[in-house]
């Protein structure tokens, strides 16, 4: 059965700081996205995780090819500056791979992408989980997530499991 969060793609325009351009939020199944946009989102993730953060595991794991995977991305002038993914993990939903380009941090783009992701999946009724990098635990806490277990190493970075408070 296809998950209830398998909608058609959409967008939501947001006006950020004057002179910074218009940030648009989008969502779609990775398999239906424009190839250039998908490539730019995946390149951004790789640049942050495997470049900036020197993760010990590859970012691409094939999950973008699953028919229920949804990507959320923020763009300025059509160029992705942030992205995250939503995975259908049978008994729960997982939000992950949250990144914002270093030049665009501090504009609340990550919070707006997370807000859209939660709006898209909240009605599903299943538990919503994520693995937060430990230094972002309070940021995810502000988004409504609570710690559900001990810290652990993932890709060479300290993480903590979190679940959305209902």
């Amino acid at each position: 059965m296809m998950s209830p969060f398998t909608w058609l793609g959409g967008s939501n325009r947001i006006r950020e700081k004057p002179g910074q351009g218009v940030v648009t939020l989008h969502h779609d199944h990775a398999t239906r996205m424009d190839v250039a946009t998908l490539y730019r989102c995946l390149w951004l993730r790789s640049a942050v995780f495997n470049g900036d953060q020197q993760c010990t595991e590859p970012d691409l794991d094939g999950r973008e090819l699953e028919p229920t995977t949804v990507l959320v991305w923020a763009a300025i002038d059509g160029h992705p500056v942030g992205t995250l993914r939503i995975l259908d993990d049978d008994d729960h939903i997982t939000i992950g791979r949250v990144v914002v380009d270093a030049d665009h941090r501090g504009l609340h783009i990550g919070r707006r992408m997370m807000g859209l992701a939660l709006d898209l999946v909240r009605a599903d009724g299943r538990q919503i989980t994520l693995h937060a990098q430990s230094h972002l635990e309070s940021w995810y806490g502000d988004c409504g997530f609570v710690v559900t277990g001990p810290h652990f190493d993932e890709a060479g970075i300290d993480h903590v499991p979190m679940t959305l408070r209902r």
Side-chain angles (χ1 to χ4, degrees):
M1 179 173 136
M2 189 71 70
S3 170
F5 71 91
T6 55
W7 340 249
L8 296 176
S11 67
N12 180 13
R13 294 175 66 83
I14 301 169
R15 170 58 85 183
E16 287 294 340
K17 297 179 181 179
Q20 297 291 319
V22 174
V23 175
T24 55
L25 293 181
H26 310 267
H27 62 90
D28 207 344
H29 290 282
T31 57
R32 290 198 313 250
M33 288 174 64
D34 168 74
V35 174
T37 301
L38 177 60
Y39 176 85
R40 288 180 182 123
C41 288
L42 297 177
W43 184 91
L44 175 60
R45 278 188 5 204
S46 180
V48 171
F49 292 132
N50 299 117
D52 298 346
Q53 297 181 354
Q54 300 178 344
C55 290
T56 59
E57 297 172 17
D59 170 50
L60 295 179
D61 58 6
R63 304 264 342 241
E64 282 74 26
L65 300 176
E66 295 174 5
T68 56
T69 296
V70 174
L71 291 185
V72 171
W73 70 98
I76 295 177
D77 297 328
H79 299 287
V81 296
T83 187
L84 63 80
R85 74 178 182 184
I86 303 169
L87 301 175
D88 182 339
D89 282 328
D90 296 325
D91 65 337
H92 66 281
I93 294 167
T94 302
I95 296 176
R97 303 295 206 265
V98 181
V99 299
V100 174
D101 177 77
D103 292 338
H104 296 89
R105 293 180 191 149
L107 298 175
H108 306 288
I109 291 171
R111 188 167 309 279
R112 292 182 185 216
M113 289 189 310
M114 182 62 71
L116 176 57
L118 292 176
D119 286 347
L120 294 172
V121 299
R122 207 174 253 131
D124 179 274
R126 288 180 286 168
Q127 190 174 56
I128 302 167
T129 67
L130 54 80
H131 291 168
Q133 290 186 8
S134 296
H135 72 278
L136 295 171
E137 181 180 326
S138 65
W139 186 87
Y140 285 107
D142 290 344
C143 293
F145 288 84
V146 295
V147 174
T148 56
H151 288 245
F152 61 96
D153 180 270
E154 184 172 61
I157 297 174
D158 190 49
H159 282 73
V160 63
M162 300 183 83
T163 299
L164 186 67
R165 183 177 36 237
R166 294 268 184 191

